[in-house]
Amino acid sequence: METAGTATGAAQRVADVLRERIARGTLPPGTRLSEESLGSGLGVSRNTLREAFRLLADGRLVVHELNRGVFVRVLGPGDVIDIYTTRRALETAGVRAAPNAPPERFGALRQSVSAAGAAAEAGDWSTVGTADLHFHQALGGLAGSPRIDEYLTRLMAELRLAFLAMPSPRDLHEPFLRRNRLIAALLESGETDRAEAELERYLGDAQQMILDIMMKADT
């Protein structure tokens, strides 16, 4: 017999599977999530699936449309502006905490920069995007705050929806590879103020790039 605890655990596992599929682009923005096909494919009840949808909705990854069903969210310009406003606050907190951050936190920065470089050489721009998200999570992680870590994880999953809607992953990510390396180098050398200024310009440019592409798509 299924208990409340096992039901909640099953819903979380299903939500994790669907979140990963959304992140990989298997379920792109605008996709309708069929209870019948997903429930059958994942071997779970409709109640479990609906609870998983609720968890994903809490993370702003899906929306329920009355009489139509559940869909992977399509971000609008307002969403992008709000995401980047929040990113500035959380990532800047990490940069400012860098002088007191433990060495392993810098290791995460270096690893993400290396992973992005290797993926770019292989022409795997989706993986470059993943490494870029990890880089910015690592920036916020310099603050050593579990709450910042948790919120950035949720925020980066939502940002992936914007990445997936871009027509060219290479055009989106390639300009920022060098800038990630620069921010990491500035932090490693203790130039915190310069790193913060570069991050502010970086996030402003990235936000505007995504907004410009969205506006072109709407015309």
Side-chain angles (χ1 to χ4, degrees):
M1 179 178 179
E2 189 180 68
T3 66
T6 58
T8 300
Q12 184 63 64
R13 288 191 293 274
V14 171
D16 290 342
V17 169
L18 296 178
R19 187 180 295 107
E20 178 61 24
R21 291 181 183 181
I22 291 169
R24 291 201 312 264
T26 307
L27 297 172
T31 301
R32 182 178 180 275
L33 302 180
S34 166
E35 287 186 6
E36 183 176 351
S37 61
L38 285 173
S40 175
L42 296 171
V44 296
S45 68
R46 287 198 172 190
N47 285 341
T48 296
L49 194 58
R50 288 170 182 171
E51 176 63 14
F53 287 165
R54 186 191 66 77
L55 294 172
L56 293 173
D58 286 347
R60 300 177 182 270
L61 296 181
V62 305
V63 293
H64 182 272
E65 297 185 10
L66 188 63
N67 299 324
R68 295 193 64 220
V70 177
F71 294 80
V72 179
R73 278 189 75 206
V74 177
L75 298 186
D79 296 307
V80 172
I81 291 170
D82 191 34
I83 287 170
Y84 274 84
T85 296
T86 309
R87 287 186 65 183
R88 285 184 183 89
L90 299 181
E91 293 181 39
T92 297
V95 168
R96 291 175 179 173
N100 299 313
E104 60 268 20
R105 296 273 174 167
F106 286 97
L109 279 180
R110 289 191 294 270
Q111 183 177 7
S112 61
V113 168
S114 296
E121 289 183 8
D124 184 354
W125 294 98
S126 176
T127 298
V128 172
T130 298
D132 177 68
L133 294 178
H134 289 166
F135 175 81
H136 289 280
Q137 285 178 274
L139 275 184
L142 294 172
S145 165
R147 288 175 176 81
I148 288 179
D149 292 344
E150 179 182 356
Y151 203 85
L152 272 175
T153 296
R154 290 163 58 96
L155 196 67
M156 293 306 171
E158 190 179 356
L159 183 61
R160 176 75 83 166
L161 296 175
F163 287 0
L164 291 170
M166 298 297 104
S168 171
R170 178 171 185 165
D171 289 348
L172 177 64
H173 297 300
E174 190 171 33
F176 297 98
L177 289 169
R178 178 191 60 80
R179 297 175 76 169
N180 283 355
R181 290 194 296 270
L182 174 60
I183 291 172
L186 290 171
L187 290 173
E188 294 267 19
S189 62
E191 298 178 78
T192 306
D193 290 344
R194 285 187 61 195
E196 183 177 342
E198 177 59 30
L199 176 63
E200 180 64 31
R201 288 191 294 270
Y202 178 118
L203 293 177
D205 291 345
Q207 173 184 303
Q208 193 58 51
M209 177 184 288
I210 293 173
L211 291 175
D212 288 346
I213 292 172
M214 283 183 165
M215 290 177 64
K216 287 180 182 178
D218 289 339
T219 58

